[in-house]
Amino acid sequence: MAVKPFRRFLRGPGKYAQAILRWKRLSFNDAPPIFGNSKPKSGSHLLLQILNGFTRIMPYKYVEAEPVRTIEKKGRRKTEAEILSELKQIPQGVIGWGYVEASLENVAFLCQPYRVNYFMYRDPRDMLVSQVFFATDMHEEHGMHEFYKSLPDFGERLKVAITGIDQDGLYMVGVRQRYAAVFEWLDREHVMCIRFEDLINNRDATLDAMLDEVESIGYKIPTPREKALSILVKAIQPRKSHTFRSGKTGGWREHFTKEYKDLFKDVTGDLLVKLGYEKDNDW
């Protein structure tokens, strides 16, 4: 067995043992099931750090090491049955996370009154910039890595990220289609939708609202609120994420020239207005 898979194999029992010592219990059935969901390159690792903080303020065993993905790292799209099976395999007392679309099967399983769901999304312009940098410079196995590297500069890569591509066996949807799935979650009951920007710019109030969401189903968090918030704040350390680049909001302004703004507007229409990031298309 390779070193990394072996470590993953040991991780669950090791984290479970730590939880037993921390909470002085063997059973972890009291706290509600939690699933943290996100659009890729929209702050998922920030959300993951918060979920790990949850294990120190509520009796959970640990947070799953691997996310539930809609699309595999190599680009294959999983079947709905495969995704649902992975969701159902998350052990009781373990917090799950991933990149899951709002299919009928996923919604039926996750969006139930006794469960807590978070869905994080981000300004599409910042998401695009992050995705281009990530695929080009940080993740050589990304499906767009070779193609992006073949383009002369960042601007040409950004154009492709905005419009999408379908040529020579290479396929990626445009930004408007990517965000169609976001609206599916925004309209669902039993899902707290969180903007990445609110966690960065209005951190404490957003964390407080996340804790309120847990208690809204009738569960009482055993850690006093002030202490719980302090623990969560300390858990947020963006630079510890292997995908960290800048961790700021509004960075798109450094990269979007008038040409890219016009292209984005042509492709997305009123997307930013619907998401609440702009009042109109005059930006």
Side-chain angles (χ1 to χ4, degrees):
M1 184 182 289
V3 174
K4 285 188 178 180
F6 183 66
R7 286 178 179 170
R8 286 197 190 121
F9 177 75
L10 293 178
R11 183 182 184 277
K15 290 287 187 180
Y16 182 31
Q18 291 177 9
I20 290 172
L21 293 174
R22 177 181 295 122
W23 293 103
K24 297 178 175 57
R25 59 164 67 197
L26 295 174
S27 173
F28 291 83
N29 302 328
D30 299 343
I34 289 179
F35 189 78
N37 197 11
S38 173
K39 287 290 295 177
K41 307 311 303 168
S42 298
S44 57
H45 285 81
L46 176 63
L47 179 59
L48 180 59
Q49 289 178 340
I50 295 169
L51 297 179
N52 275 301
F54 277 10
T55 67
R56 296 192 284 277
I57 64 176
M58 293 176 270
Y60 290 99
K61 296 176 185 175
Y62 53 88
V63 178
E64 280 281 25
E66 294 296 318
V68 179
R69 298 180 183 274
T70 296
I71 300 174
E72 292 181 338
K73 291 182 179 180
K74 293 184 179 180
R76 184 184 76 89
R77 190 176 185 86
K78 294 179 182 176
T79 66
E80 295 298 341
E82 287 176 317
I83 297 168
L84 183 60
S85 176
E86 290 184 35
L87 289 172
K88 289 181 175 180
Q89 287 174 24
I90 298 171
Q92 191 166 20
V94 173
I95 298 175
W97 66 292
Y99 310 97
V100 174
E101 295 179 353
S103 70
L104 292 176
E105 295 86 350
N106 296 340
V107 168
F109 177 73
L110 291 172
C111 299
Q112 301 186 54
Y114 66 91
R115 300 184 65 98
V116 176
N117 298 285
Y118 300 108
F119 177 74
M120 182 178 288
Y121 62 101
R122 186 180 191 181
D123 186 320
R125 296 162 294 189
D126 277 330
M127 182 279 294
L128 290 172
V129 171
S130 179
Q131 188 261 350
V132 171
F133 275 117
F134 178 70
T136 306
D137 301 329
M138 302 175 70
H139 186 40
E140 294 183 358
E141 295 181 359
H142 193 283
M144 293 296 295
H145 175 74
E146 292 298 329
F147 185 74
Y148 277 164
K149 293 288 282 188
S150 74
L151 298 177
D153 54 37
F154 178 87
E156 291 302 309
R157 296 166 193 147
L158 182 58
K159 286 182 185 178
V160 174
I162 293 171
T163 62
I165 187 171
D166 186 5
Q167 67 179 47
D168 302 326
L170 189 63
Y171 179 73
M172 180 179 69
V173 299
V175 62
R176 186 174 183 86
Q177 191 173 343
R178 288 192 202 187
Y179 273 78
V182 171
F183 291 108
E184 293 288 334
W185 285 119
L186 293 180
D187 294 335
R188 299 295 174 182
E189 288 186 313
H190 313 301
V191 179
M192 178 181 176
C193 294
I194 305 166
R195 300 204 310 185
F196 170 80
E197 293 78 13
D198 290 334
L199 266 174
I200 298 298
N201 302 321
N202 196 17
R203 182 195 63 196
D204 290 5
T206 306
L207 291 174
D208 199 41
M210 293 178 72
L211 296 178
D212 285 342
E213 185 71 10
V214 175
E215 294 194 330
S216 70
I217 65 172
Y219 175 76
K220 177 63 178 176
I221 297 172
T223 305
R225 183 59 62 96
E226 186 174 346
K227 182 179 179 181
L229 286 171
S230 175
I231 290 172
L232 293 182
V233 168
K234 290 178 181 177
I236 298 174
Q237 300 184 50
R239 293 182 183 276
K240 286 192 173 183
S241 168
H242 69 281
T243 64
F244 176 81
R245 189 179 64 84
S246 69
K248 64 181 180 180
T249 64
W252 63 268
R253 293 182 177 86
E254 301 171 15
H255 304 280
F256 270 69
T257 64
K258 184 180 185 303
E259 177 187 2
Y260 307 140
K261 287 182 180 181
D262 290 343
L263 178 62
F264 183 95
K265 292 174 184 179
D266 288 342
V267 169
T268 66
D270 60 352
L271 174 65
L272 294 177
V273 176
K274 286 184 175 180
L275 289 172
Y277 286 106
E278 298 291 348
K279 293 182 179 178
D280 52 45
N281 241 10
D282 187 21
W283 52 270

